[in-house]
């Protein structure tokens, strides 16, 4: 603090590790699997196989539904994922939608009914319009390709979670000589987190699943 003298000395501070608030419940790299093995774990709508010498990703689709993941003791979940999207449409009404539910979707090709959304605890945890990128084709055949990522932490009471990734646009269906609007996941991580509650002793928010 700018002082010096015989009564000034350096105080040794012991480093103390803080509590572990989160633990990885699942890490998935889709490139570790062949197509048939991957589709045993993930439900993939409009599965499309693409490969190139400059990019490792090869499993694409319009919707990915993860396996059902057991979280253990927790209060929150943290969901991290990277997206790679090929043949991005130049359209404002397009992007990536991510939902979570405590029950895995039985039929990923159709949306849940209003009652099923309630009973399965479906919740939108991320939504974003991905900007159009023109002239950059890494793996696509028609329009530009793009990448993005998400990192979301949210309160989550159920003991299990399944995450659904979906792209939407007017160009979901392939068009002749225009390429296919498809996405893949470059990484996917689920963290099970237990955060100390600041709520009072009688608050139900103090309950940990």
């Amino acid at each position: 603090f700018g002082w010096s003298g015989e009564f000034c000395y350096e105080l040794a501070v012991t480093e103390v590790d803080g509590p572990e608030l989160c633990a990885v419940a699942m890490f998935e790299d889709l490139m570790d699997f062949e197509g048939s093995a991957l589709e045993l774990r993930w439900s993939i709508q409009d599965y499309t196989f693409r490969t190139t010498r400059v990019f490792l990703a090869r499993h694409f689709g319009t919707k990915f539904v993860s396996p059902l993941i057991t979280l253990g003791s927790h209060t929150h979940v943290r969901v991290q994922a990277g997206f790679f999207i090929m043949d991005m449409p130049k359209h404002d009404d397009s992007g990536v939608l991510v939902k979570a539910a405590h029950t895995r979707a039985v039929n990923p090709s159709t949306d849940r009914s209003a009652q099923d959304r309630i009973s399965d605890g479906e919740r939108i945890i991320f939504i974003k319009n991905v900007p159009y990128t023109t002239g950059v084709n890494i793996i696509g055949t028609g329009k530009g390709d793009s990448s993005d990522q998400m990192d979301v932490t949210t309160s989550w009471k159920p003991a299990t979670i399944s995450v659904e990734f979906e792209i939407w646009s007017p160009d979901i269906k392939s068009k002749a000589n225009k390429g296919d609007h498809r996405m893949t996941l470059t990484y996917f991580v689920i963290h099970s987190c237990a955060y100390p509650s600041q709520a009072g002793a009688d608050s139900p928010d103090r309950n940990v699943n």
Side-chain angles (χ1 to χ4, degrees), residues 52-189:
T52 177
R53 290 178 298 173
V54 298
F55 192 52
L56 293 176
R58 57 186 186 272
H59 306 301
F60 290 83
T62 58
K63 187 175 184 179
F64 288 76
V65 180
S66 81
L68 191 65
I69 304 158
T70 301
L71 297 171
S73 179
H74 70 285
T75 59
H76 294 68
V77 291
R78 181 183 181 189
V79 183
Q80 296 175 292
F83 318 114
F84 184 85
I85 306 168
M86 65 181 184
D87 294 329
M88 280 296 304
K90 189 175 182 180
H91 199 285
D92 290 337
D93 186 17
S94 63
V96 176
L97 174 67
V98 183
K99 302 176 184 177
H102 59 70
T103 302
R104 195 168 188 251
V106 176
N107 187 4
S109 63
T110 60
D111 292 333
R112 291 179 175 89
S113 67
Q115 182 57 47
D116 287 340
R117 286 196 293 270
I118 296 172
S119 60
D120 291 354
E122 181 186 276
R123 185 194 308 174
I124 296 174
I125 61 172
F126 181 85
I127 187 168
K128 183 177 182 181
N129 171 261
V130 180
Y132 173 68
T133 306
T134 182
V136 180
N137 285 97
I138 297 175
I139 199 168
T141 59
K143 304 173 183 177
D145 301 335
S146 187
S147 63
D148 214 315
Q149 60 186 349
M150 64 171 285
D151 188 342
V152 172
T153 300
T154 182
S155 175
W156 191 262
K157 290 186 177 182
T160 55
I161 189 172
S162 176
V163 185
E164 305 172 13
F165 301 88
E166 184 174 3
I167 55 171
W168 84 91
S169 81
D171 293 350
I172 283 295
K173 299 302 180 184
S174 60
K175 297 180 179 180
N177 302 318
K178 294 294 184 181
D180 300 331
H181 184 204
R182 302 287 188 267
M183 71 175 292
T184 190
L185 300 177
T186 53
Y187 65 92
F188 172 61
V189 190

